[in-house]
Amino acid sequence: MRRAAKVDRNQSEIVAALRAVGASVQPLHAVGQGCPDLLVGFRGQCFAIEVKDGSLAPSDRKLTPAQQDWHRDWRGHVSVVLTAEDALRVIGVESYRDLHQQIVGNETTGKRCNASRSDTTNPLTER
């Protein structure tokens, strides 16, 4: 019988930061078998993110053997993050401040920020 999945102390902060910039976040930590903790969608891209607690000693935040196998076999994007800022950089946002400046700048120029899925196109549904 599989035990309950461990959630890193900083995962909720990371999820909140990602959602604050408009990313969709699906927690996957309960999947197990080395699967990363989060699936993140942002600006038409998907990111698999493994969360590690940066306050732990480096030896305590190493990937488990199952995680190493998953990362090795995965054919898409996968990253390991320690902080909310790390997670934002993974999806292409340098910081909350940078995103705010981008949004404010776009409001003054009339350009739209591609921060939500509604701004992306799906070639399967276009005719």
Side-chain angles (χ1 to χ4, degrees), residues 18 23-26 28 36-50 70 74 76-79 81 87-93:
L18 290 164
S24 54
V25 181
Q26 178 64 55
L28 299 175
D37 296 312
L38 305 173
L39 179 61
V40 179
F42 188 67
R43 296 182 177 166
Q45 296 182 7
C46 291
F47 304 89
I49 296 179
E50 177 62 37
W70 196 97
W74 185 245
H77 184 275
V78 62
S79 295
V81 302
L88 292 173
R89 276 190 292 278
V90 164
I91 68 168
V93 176

Side-chain angles (χ1 to χ4, degrees), residues 6 29 36 40 45 52 69-70 75 83 87 95 106 118 122:
K6 180 182 152 259
H29 60 271
V40 179
Q45 296 182 7
K52 293 295 183 185
D69 290 345
W70 196 97
R75 300 294 180 247
T83 66
S95 71
N106 288 340
S118 64
N122 182 344

